[in-house]
Amino acid sequence: MGHETDRGEAEMAVAPRKPRFLCLHGFRTSGEILRTQINKWPESVLQRVDLVFPDGPFPAEGKSDVEGIFDPPYYEWFQFNKEFTEYTNFEECLEYIEDCIVKHGPIDGLLGFSQGAILSAALPGLQAKGMALKKVPKIKFIIIIGGAKFKGPSVADHAYSSPISCPSLHFLGENDFLKPYGLELLESCVEPVVINHPKGHTIPRIDEENLPITMSFLDMIQKILSDRE
């Protein structure tokens, strides 16, 4: 009986650390809203990762698209012009994300939706160029939901000058207005894993069809993490 207990404790002691993701919500939503949406994913997915859901650094400066669906407060990561080529409070946003990574570390990857996805996909490149996240370990993985690329050269010239080489999982919605830009982002990634879904600009449920792709990606990143540690 004692041997069984010892063996169980030994197995628990060497249980691999799960990949931990900082999850960046969409424009004028919140960490709590993103948590609510992600929690609709299957338990088999959620139990494979640790997820942290901070709010963006700035209270929403205007109306939120989720008013009447999700309760306030709402936040944004940075502000931008209509063409999405000029960005305000961007440096402050990068510093805030770095502080979140320090506070909630170790953080292995970024998961983002919409504005949070655009940030998540740009940060590995900005980090490699020494323009962001200088005080924290390298971002190893990204999960991009309804993402796109920065258009403004002040960010884009640095974020995508080299291919995004870390493992990446991308959710592309058939009716998402950002889909063409999400496809553009794929071209900047080395071996991206792609899940297509029939919805619009939203966080899709993970169904029987795309569950195996998701689990395969999680297996891959868990192996990378375990091998490094």
Side-chain angles (χ1 to χ4, degrees), residues 23 33 42 50 54 63 81 83 86 105 123 134 163 180 193 212 214 218:
C23 303
I33 291 169
D50 281 331
K63 186 171 168 56
N81 64 346
E83 295 75 31
E86 294 173 13
L123 278 165
K134 296 180 204 171
V193 176
T214 307
L218 295 178

Side-chain angles (χ1 to χ4, degrees), residues 56-78:
F58 303 104
E61 292 188 1
K63 186 171 168 56
S64 168
D65 287 344
V66 301
E67 265 178 45
I69 305 167
F70 293 105
D71 292 336
Y74 310 122
Y75 301 89
E76 50 200 51
W77 295 99
F78 56 89

Side-chain angles (χ1 to χ4, degrees), residues 146-161:
K149 291 167 81 166
F150 281 99
K151 293 180 183 176
S154 62
V155 178
D157 286 357
H158 305 285
Y160 320 113
S161 57

Side-chain angles (χ1 to χ4, degrees), residues 9-18 222 226 229:
E9 286 174 357
E11 283 173 1
M12 283 171 69
V14 296
R17 183 172 71 80
K18 297 178 196 177
Q222 181 68 69
S226 300
E229 298 196 343

